[in-house]
Amino acid sequence: QQERVLILKLLARKIGTVPAELQLQIENLTVSELEELGESLLDFTQLEDLVTWLGGQGPGDQLIELEVLDLIA
């Protein structure tokens, strides 16, 4: 749980507010996926980078990715 809180804080500082839909996806990541996200977020410059990263994490995530892209467009 602490890892998730830290990742969400880092994301907020790096790319701004993370929509609830994406926060939910992050909360469902495994510890190793959180570690990967922690490294990857260092290269993020915009919310779309997070959406793209999460879109590669499992089936069904692409639908959420499209919905979030609609929200931020």
Side-chain angles (χ1 to χ4, degrees):
Q1 181 66 5
Q2 293 173 341
E3 294 89 354
R4 287 169 178 76
V5 171
L6 177 59
I7 294 295
L8 288 169
K9 286 181 180 181
L10 291 172
L11 284 166
R13 288 196 62 173
K14 185 77 173 167
I15 59 174
T17 303
V18 177
E21 295 88 353
L22 296 181
Q23 288 184 28
L24 183 60
Q25 279 188 267
I26 291 168
E27 290 175 9
N28 290 320
L29 294 175
T30 65
V31 172
S32 77
E33 289 171 331
L34 284 171
E35 290 173 357
E36 290 176 34
L37 177 56
E39 289 181 27
S40 295
L41 73 81
L42 297 173
D43 297 324
F44 293 174
T45 58
Q46 56 191 357
L47 183 59
E48 289 83 358
D49 295 330
L50 174 61
V51 172
T52 300
W53 190 92
L54 288 170
Q57 294 308 303
D61 293 341
Q62 292 175 350
L63 178 60
I64 293 173
E65 177 180 344
L66 293 174
E67 291 173 357
V68 171
L69 286 175
D70 286 342
L71 288 175
I72 60 177

